[in-house]
Amino acid sequence: MASKKPEAFYRVEDGIAIITLNYPPLNALHPLLLRSLFDQLRRAHSDPTVQAVVLTGANNNFCAGFDINQFQNPDAGAGGGIDNTINDSICEVLEGGAKPTVAAIQGVALGGGLEVAMGCNARIATPGTRLGLPELQLGIIPGFGGTQRLPRLVGLAKAAEMMLTSTPIKAEAGLKLGLVDAVVPAEQLLPAARALARDIAAGRKPRLYSLTRTDKLPALGEALATIEMARAEANRRARGLRHPQLCLDAIQAGIERGGAAGLAAEGAAFAAAASLPTHKALVHIFFAQRSTKKVKGVTDVPGLKPRPIRCVAVLGGGLMGSGIATALVLAGVEVILKEVNQGFLDAGMGRIKANLQSRVKKGAMTSEAAAKALSLVTGALDYSGFGAADMVIEAVIEDIGLKQRIFADLEKSCRPDCILSTNTSTIDIDLVGAKMQGGPTGPAASRLLGAHFFSPAHVMPLLEIVRTSRTSPQVLLDTLALSSRIKKTPVVVGNCTGFAVNRVFFPYTMSAVLLADLGLDPYRIDTVVAGKFGMPMGPFRLNDLVGSDIGLHVGANFVTSFPERVYVSRLIPLLNEAKRLGEKTGKGFYKFDSKTRKASPDPELAPLLAESRKAAGLVQPGAKPPALTDADILDFIFFPVVNEGCRVVAEGIVDKAADMDVASVMAMGFPAVKGGLIFWADLVGAQRIVARLRQFAAMVGPTHAGFFKPCEYLVAAAESGRKLSAGPPAAAKL
Ligand SMILES: C[C@H](O)CC(=O)SCCNC(=O)CCNC(=O)[C@H](O)C(C)(C)COP(=O)(O)OP(=O)(O)OC[C@H]1O[C@@H](n2cnc3c(N)ncnc32)[C@H](O)[C@@H]1OP(=O)(O)O
């Protein structure tokens, strides 16, 4: 069974045909596997020695669904060339063929995998198996009958929720809902499935047909009301996206006209969804996210294996340090939390405890598990216990001198093989290590790197791993492995001010402030950026979340490093002077309700805006602001962001352009349905972006034109028609 070929194996045991899906690693339904499954099913039906069929999967998994690679295969056609005739036939034969079928499920049964299992007359799963229809996260809808069978097995409301959120459930929950008929330990899976198949064939147990069942469906009026509610919820969550509505169309058709008509409606809705740009973008993000774990010169070095990281010392128990420590203990990693005095240490420990308790409250973990996680943290006020640490993550304030002193101390206090990392969000890593023996070229330089988490660190999914020119592949590989262990998507980036994510964040904030100085209303800008474009929040609301003090501090690094392309306004300093630091002080660009923390526009902001505009002198006093449409605002904000993203790609700060897409989606909140920053820029077109940047440069005049100056990479793409996502020609990388 070691074959890598997509094929279904066939064997007969005591009158039961066992058909095993095989296509490592997760038995995705490649068209050849589907064809082979169909052939083996027909073989079982025509084999006189066979009474019933058990369908199972190799490689400790049932099936992760249709082979997503096919969606990117130019030869496969739209929708991955899914042949609904064969798929419907497979499920038809599984469900209504001459011999009953039982699915024996372990690992995952997702998408088409679960749909095939639901086509069987019964399902048995192992504990912890993940069952779900996550197609919507790929911009499509279930296409193998899932929109019809899932509501009939688990009820309409639950089925709609599972599809619209793309969230799988565990087998144990599936048992309660009726999605599976039994949960048994792995070693009993096949014997139990064989026994059930035999019982059904002998008439000792009923043979059930999911497609025609109605016992879990509500009456029509109630069902339609549930679908209406689901439509509203989908619109609220997915901001007018089409494919969730197409999914609900198919479900509704089946409720109104029966399962068979529903299947036809599903086929049409699937084809419609598969033709939308959203699908292409989301499939791109799916693969881009997985490819960040493959780093040239690190993960492809023969014989190089990650070393285990059992204990991590975290320096600083503030918001970031405590979040990082939480992420580590949640994955079972021991933590030494160091602070400068007992009071700060107690506060840090308290934050970790609160983070864990909040997970308990949400039902994400038991209080016993939380207590066990907390017991993995040891407090420290000095470096005496640091010999136990396999890695250090420094998370103190962004003060270069302080960080330099800390790393000089760490070099002396830690083992020579201990990884030394900093969670700085912007500072050049070589600068952080400058006071170590020999500085950036000294003996410890190979184990120095950035481990940049995003706040809140135990929640945000991205980890920027910053390599210097000397960081060793071993150290990078160890950190990549740690990242997977703590369930973060890693992006390995090069060393520079701001790395990848904050490099694209600074023009995002600066262009918004520039618009405000031109006289535009910040609240309108936020509404357009969040509501129309789909960012989680606009730049001004984000400033209030992060804090104007932090914004000012971080912004100063960019002003120093990239003076030719920054926009410096009085606005953020004025907010600082007025102690309007954002949410934490109850006022920033917005005012915050002291009880609900809800943000609302604040008329008291007006004098600060006026003062900043006066200082900027971009428009004459009393003159009207430029008449910009919502579309203009989006171009004004996002094209400088693209421009900086292009520099990041061209300089080789990211390994590949798709890494910038992942980073923008997972840390910045750039809409995944647009495929990430560079993917989206290619859809817009480099030519248009360059032309608009030049227009904006002319609009703000020569003093600020540098902010909009298109970089060489962008201009070259505009002139040659080369895709921005293609990355720089190898020789051009710095
Ligand atoms: C008609 C139908 O309705 C349409 C469909 O079925 S569309 C497909 C629906 N299925 C899905 O969306 C599931 C997609 N897969 C996943 O969510 C996750 O891979 C998983 C939860 C199954 C496993 O996650 P995890 O353990 O972190 O492993 P992960 O790294 O993601 O996957 C392992 C490998 O399997 C591949 N893979 C996973 N699911 C795949 C699929 N459906 N098709 C092709 N490859 C797949 C991944 O690309 C990865 O390949 P790599 O090692 O070369 O990078």
Side-chain angles (χ1 to χ4, degrees):
M1 289 231 185
S3 163
K4 292 213 161 177
K5 235 175 80 188
E7 65 181 313
F9 299 120
Y10 183 88
R11 68 181 197 273
V12 179
E13 284 175 11
D14 298 336
I16 306 294
I18 315 273
I19 300 178
T20 306
L21 301 168
N22 177 62
Y23 185 32
L26 300 173
N27 313 321
L29 297 171
H30 184 282
L32 290 176
L33 179 55
L34 284 165
R35 166 58 59 190
S36 172
L37 168 60
F38 191 44
D39 292 345
Q40 301 296 26
L41 270 174
R42 285 204 299 210
R43 182 171 166 191
H45 283 297
S46 60
D47 184 341
T49 68
V50 167
Q51 305 155 31
V53 177
V54 165
L55 179 63
T56 192
N59 313 304
N60 297 321
N61 276 287
F62 186 74
C63 170
F66 185 68
D67 180 4
I68 301 171
N69 292 293
Q70 299 306 311
F71 295 134
Q72 289 191 324
N73 176 357
D75 300 328
I82 283 188
D83 176 356
N84 277 89
T85 42
I86 180 167
N87 305 323
D88 287 351
S89 309
I90 287 173
C91 288
E92 227 170 80
V93 177
L94 281 168
E95 189 159 49
K99 295 164 188 178
T101 52
V102 173
I105 311 168
Q106 58 181 332
V108 292
L110 297 173
L114 180 61
E115 293 175 282
V116 167
M118 291 192 294
C120 294
N121 302 116
R123 284 149 296 281
I124 299 186
T126 54
T129 292
R130 282 176 284 172
L131 311 161
L133 294 182
E135 284 88 342
L136 267 73
Q137 76 185 1
L138 297 170
I140 45 167
I141 72 162
F144 291 0
T147 61
Q148 305 307 308
R149 290 189 177 88
L150 190 61
R152 287 169 169 79
L153 283 168
V154 305
L156 177 59
K158 183 67 192 174
E161 179 202 308
M162 283 173 68
M163 286 184 252
L164 293 176
T165 61
S166 291
T167 309
I169 57 171
K170 293 266 172 75
E172 293 78 351
L175 180 63
K176 283 192 192 141
L177 289 163
L179 183 53
V180 295
D181 303 282
V183 175
V184 300
E187 64 280 7
Q188 287 170 28
L189 182 64
L190 277 183
R194 270 198 315 260
L196 180 57
R198 200 171 291 115
D199 282 348
I200 297 173
R204 290 188 290 272
K205 293 255 169 80
R207 183 172 177 184
L208 299 174
Y209 305 86
S210 322
L211 192 63
T212 47
R213 279 176 66 172
T214 52
D215 52 307
K216 292 271 178 78
L217 294 180
L220 184 62
E222 190 189 326
L224 293 179
T226 304
I227 291 174
E228 264 329 292
M229 265 161 47
R231 284 191 191 281
E233 175 62 12
N235 241 337
R236 192 187 63 75
R237 271 171 191 269
R239 298 187 173 100
L241 284 181
R242 181 97 184 89
H243 67 285
Q245 302 299 331
L246 286 166
C247 180
L248 289 163
D249 289 349
I251 297 176
Q252 184 166 343
I255 298 284
E256 288 175 334
R257 292 185 274 127
L263 282 186
E266 181 189 272
F270 180 90
S275 68
L276 297 170
T278 316
H279 167 53
K280 237 182 168 175
L282 289 171
V283 169
H284 165 72
I285 285 294
F286 176 85
F287 284 115
Q289 204 180 325
R290 276 145 191 89
S291 74
T292 63
K293 296 179 192 117
K294 293 166 194 156
V295 182
K296 283 190 283 289
V298 177
T299 51
D300 55 1
V301 177
L304 199 66
K305 295 257 174 322
R307 297 171 299 179
I309 294 182
R310 296 189 186 88
C311 175
V312 175
V314 177
L315 266 75
L319 204 63
M320 281 313 292
S322 58
I324 294 168
T326 308
L328 290 163
V329 294
L330 282 172
V333 181
E334 285 172 33
V335 168
I336 302 169
L337 184 72
K338 182 182 175 299
E339 258 300 355
V340 286
N341 62 45
Q342 193 61 45
F344 283 4
L345 184 58
D346 292 344
M349 290 294 227
R351 284 188 196 99
I352 300 171
K353 196 170 173 189
N355 290 341
L356 293 168
Q357 273 168 353
S358 131
R359 288 178 58 81
V360 173
K361 239 192 205 159
K362 286 185 193 139
M365 73 193 301
T366 62
S367 42
E368 292 76 34
K372 196 167 165 217
L374 191 63
S375 74
L376 294 173
V377 191
T378 314
L381 295 175
D382 58 35
Y383 294 118
S384 55
F386 272 42
D390 302 307
M391 179 175 189
V392 176
I393 303 175
E394 166 273 309
V396 306
I397 52 164
E398 294 283 76
D399 175 330
I400 298 181
L402 175 64
K403 284 184 195 285
Q404 288 177 337
R405 284 196 298 281
I406 287 176
F407 276 82
D409 288 342
L410 285 173
E411 190 182 15
K412 290 177 218 136
S413 317
C414 298
R415 293 195 319 261
D417 62 335
C418 176
I419 300 170
L420 304 177
S421 75
T422 168
N423 175 55
T424 180
S425 59
T426 38
I427 307 172
D428 186 310
I429 309 297
D430 282 333
L431 209 54
V432 172
K435 296 276 163 66
M436 295 193 310
Q437 244 182 58
T441 56
S446 64
R447 55 192 174 109
L448 176 68
L449 81 168
H452 180 209
F453 290 78
F454 295 83
S455 184
H458 57 297
V459 177
M460 291 291 282
L462 194 84
L463 175 62
E464 241 179 349
I465 300 175
V466 190
R467 69 200 297 177
T468 71
S469 57
R470 304 208 167 238
T471 312
S472 78
Q474 178 69 64
V475 162
L476 287 166
L477 191 67
D478 299 343
T479 312
L480 279 166
L482 179 74
S483 161
S484 291
R485 185 162 167 205
I486 61 174
K487 298 196 171 63
K488 305 280 177 214
T489 295
V491 175
V492 173
V493 298
N495 188 21
C496 63
T497 301
F499 321 126
V501 173
N502 281 336
R503 279 277 296 268
V504 294
F505 247 131
F506 87 80
Y508 177 68
T509 320
M510 286 180 183
S511 51
V513 168
L514 176 48
L515 278 175
D517 278 350
L518 281 165
L520 276 88
D521 175 20
Y523 305 122
R524 175 183 170 209
I525 295 168
D526 270 5
T527 307
V528 173
V529 169
K532 278 223 159 128
F533 194 80
M535 295 293 284
M537 62 185 81
F540 297 103
R541 180 66 188 82
L542 181 69
N543 171 87
D544 282 0
L545 183 72
V546 175
S548 302
D549 50 341
I550 309 272
L552 189 63
H553 194 81
V554 170
N557 288 310
F558 293 104
V559 175
T560 309
S561 298
F562 312 119
E564 75 294 351
R565 57 177 194 270
V566 287
Y567 173 69
V568 184
S569 163
R570 278 286 293 137
L571 192 52
I572 303 284
L574 282 169
L575 261 85
N576 273 272
E577 287 157 26
K579 306 263 179 301
R580 297 182 70 108
L581 301 185
E583 246 182 274
K584 58 188 168 195
T585 54
K587 276 180 188 176
F589 284 101
Y590 293 82
K591 60 180 177 192
F592 292 86
D593 186 286
S594 57
K595 284 199 191 99
T596 61
R597 317 289 303 154
K598 205 171 166 287
S600 56
D602 186 358
E604 286 177 18
L605 184 70
L608 299 186
L609 279 171
E611 196 178 335
S612 180
R613 282 168 188 159
K614 193 167 160 218
L618 293 163
V619 280
Q620 294 303 316
K624 280 195 172 165
L628 297 180
T629 64
D630 290 353
D632 292 332
I633 290 177
L634 292 178
D635 290 357
F636 197 99
I637 293 199
F638 285 102
F639 291 173
V641 175
V642 167
N643 197 16
E644 194 61 28
C646 285
R647 288 189 180 98
V648 169
V649 171
E651 290 167 19
I653 297 297
V654 282
D655 196 41
K656 42 202 171 302
D659 288 356
M660 188 70 252
D661 289 331
V662 173
S664 66
V665 168
M666 300 189 94
M668 192 186 187
F670 195 90
V673 293
K674 296 189 193 301
L677 185 66
I678 305 294
F679 184 92
W680 173 73
D682 270 333
L683 291 180
V684 175
Q687 258 187 14
R688 187 170 117 70
I689 296 171
V690 167
R692 289 293 273 164
L693 285 169
R694 287 180 177 151
Q695 273 176 9
F696 295 137
M699 186 176 135
V700 295
T703 316
H704 302 297
F707 182 70
F708 293 105
K709 187 169 186 263
C711 70
E712 275 177 36
Y713 182 75
L714 186 54
V715 172
E719 285 169 358
S720 66
R722 198 168 184 273
K723 289 262 185 214
L724 296 167
S725 52
K733 276 195 180 191
L734 292 185

